[in-house]
Amino acid sequence: MEDKIFKIMYVSSADHTMSDDELMDLLTTSKKNNQARNISGLLLYFDGNFIQLLEGDRDEVQALYAKIAKDRRHSGVIKLIEKFADKREFPEWSMGFRKLDEQTIDPSIAGFLDLVQDSETIKSMLEGVSRRTLLFLDTFKDTSGISKTL
């Protein structure tokens, strides 16, 4: 699988609603560590829940995911995708980030799914259709919507 990019996407719930300062600390540390490991990706945060895509060398991404999965700052870690791909989705970001809020996400919209509460549905939807999930992430690739700060 030489020249292939390895990807893992997961969801989890924070152990508490994180403040902007806590999120900034997490983002700063993640960007520094990911840059050193040549890992790129995107982290979305909404109402105490995370969805993250990590991409890079298989060993590096798997090691980082194992560390993340053991982190006590969150629980309910559910791996949604683990695969090789031809290219990175977020090559320019050691860690793109967006804090979503009520104006960004409207749970009353038809088809909205809580990614953590309805994890089994999400996992079954992703069987064989992981490209759809990456298309979902494409909606956040516009750099005007992703900030380096909160």
Side-chain angles (χ1 to χ4, degrees):
M1 288 283 169
E2 203 169 313
D3 296 325
K4 293 280 191 171
I5 298 298
F6 189 73
K7 301 177 185 230
I8 290 180
M9 180 189 287
Y10 72 91
V11 293
S12 67
S13 295
D15 66 349
H16 67 281
T17 302
M18 298 182 78
S19 70
D20 287 352
D21 287 341
E22 289 173 305
L23 289 169
M24 184 55 71
D25 288 344
L26 177 66
L27 179 61
T28 301
T29 301
S30 296
K31 288 175 78 168
K32 178 183 168 191
N33 293 338
N34 289 356
Q35 194 168 28
R37 294 181 175 106
N38 196 27
I39 291 176
S40 56
L42 176 67
L43 176 65
L44 304 176
Y45 178 81
F46 175 69
D47 196 28
N49 297 308
F50 294 101
I51 182 167
Q52 184 170 29
L53 174 72
L54 302 167
E55 52 190 9
D57 174 77
R58 180 182 189 171
D59 292 340
E60 293 287 352
V61 170
Q62 286 180 323
L64 177 57
Y65 175 76
K67 181 179 177 181
I68 289 169
K70 292 178 185 176
D71 191 320
R72 293 178 183 239
R73 293 177 289 185
H74 66 152
S75 62
V77 179
I78 300 167
K79 189 185 306 178
L80 301 173
I81 294 173
E82 182 173 20
K83 70 173 197 165
F84 282 99
D86 292 328
K87 65 181 183 85
R88 292 177 189 259
E89 294 296 319
F90 304 99
E92 65 279 9
W93 297 331
S94 58
M95 186 48 56
F97 174 79
R98 186 164 187 186
K99 180 181 176 186
L100 306 174
D101 55 29
E102 297 298 330
Q103 289 76 35
T104 314
I105 299 278
D106 182 359
S108 67
I109 295 172
F112 177 85
L113 288 174
D114 183 319
L115 294 175
V116 174
Q117 297 300 322
D118 204 1
S119 60
E120 289 307 311
T121 299
I122 295 297
K123 285 172 76 173
S124 67
M125 286 173 51
L126 292 174
E127 291 296 323
V129 292
S130 59
R131 181 68 189 144
R132 289 182 185 174
T133 302
L134 294 175
L135 289 173
F136 160 77
L137 288 174
D138 279 344
T139 63
F140 297 99
K141 285 180 74 171
D142 174 17
T143 56
S144 65
I146 303 296
S147 63
K148 294 179 182 174
T149 64
L150 302 174

